[in-house]
Amino acid sequence: MDAPPLAPPLPLLPWLRRGAALARRAALGAGLAAGAALLALWGAALLYAAFHCAYVPASALWRPLRMRFRTDCDPPGPELCSFPTANVSLLGPNREKVLFPGQLYRLVLALEVPESPVNRALGMFMVSVTVYGADGRPLASAARSAMLHYRSRLLRTLDTVAFAALFLSGFAEQKQTLEIELSAAFREDPFSPAVAAVVRIESRRLQLYGARLRLHAHFSGLRYLLFHFPLTSAVLGIAGNFAFLLLLCGAAALQWGRGRARPAPRPPQVSTPLV
């Protein structure tokens, strides 16, 4: 007895296979697009971070001052033998440049002075600074006057009584911090960078605990926006880099797709001569 003939394949099977193949291709394309977008996002963040580090310098630079003065005067008296002077380096730990070329800086001298009777009776005094280049040539100099802030005897008495516990325990001291702006617009010359500064206190009677020189960067334009609005600048910068990288990836994918869709060249036909 003959076997019954096989049933013809259902017409839906080729459509299902084609749909599965299209779904796999779409999933693969979506995965590649997501990976490319993630790599573009990381690249955009790294590009913005590198640009920010290279374009925006440090906002402030502090240098402690080690004051030196002569002690060999004869006869010795209550005053110093010379003006207190400090030579401070404006380079990094490895002698690298830390000041950004072309950037404006404010030079501020901070003096910690005790409220002693000698300082209160001193009155006004002068401080000066001279910035030197690598060849020893002075690049800029400035001089300013300063004095302790006046406080009456009653105010000093009330302050002593109110903070007596802190004074006795050592958590507070009767001192003042004088911030003297020596220069409001010192510009770092890219052709003759500053390497050192000499600070001089032109008084032999001033008593002080310590001194520091601060170089504060004065930002303007794009640096001002990047420094004072870091979150907004980061979002806009990373978004712009991300869009640019996506545009490059899209152009590369389009060029690659055109190269694959181009038909292969046909081999040249060789005509045979008629006999």
Side-chain angles (χ1 to χ4, degrees), residues 43 93 123 140 144 167 191-192 194 198 219 228:
R144 296 290 186 271
F167 293 149
F191 301 101
S192 182
V198 175
F219 295 126
H228 292 280

Side-chain angles (χ1 to χ4, degrees), residues 62-76:
W62 290 88
R63 287 292 185 265
L65 301 182
R66 304 289 185 257
M67 293 295 176
R68 299 176 59 89
F69 49 86
R70 291 176 49 212
T71 59
D72 55 351
C73 53
D74 189 24

Side-chain angles (χ1 to χ4, degrees), residues 67-152:
M67 293 295 176
R68 299 176 59 89
F69 49 86
R70 291 176 49 212
T71 59
D72 55 351
C73 53
D74 189 24
E79 299 181 355
L80 301 177
C81 300
S82 62
F83 294 148
T85 306
N87 191 341
V88 58
S89 173
L90 300 181
L91 300 177
N94 299 323
R95 306 290 297 176
E96 72 275 9
K97 294 190 298 183
V98 295
L99 300 182
F100 204 80
Q103 177 64 43
L104 286 176
Y105 289 92
R106 292 175 57 244
L107 273 66
V108 179
L109 176 63
L111 298 177
E112 292 185 1
V113 296
E115 292 187 340
S116 61
V118 175
N119 285 341
R120 289 199 304 267
L122 178 61
M124 299 183 65
F125 58 94
M126 295 291 295
V127 293
S128 62
V129 61
T130 304
V131 181
Y132 293 91
D135 54 355
R137 182 173 56 90
L139 303 178
S141 60
R144 296 290 186 271
S145 61
M147 67 174 298
L148 270 71
H149 299 286
Y150 173 75
R151 297 204 307 169
S152 63

Side-chain angles (χ1 to χ4, degrees), residues 48 222 225-227 229-238:
Y48 177 79
L222 182 58
L225 297 177
L226 292 175
F227 181 78
F229 303 96
L231 183 59
T232 305
S233 302
V235 171
L236 294 178
I238 293 176

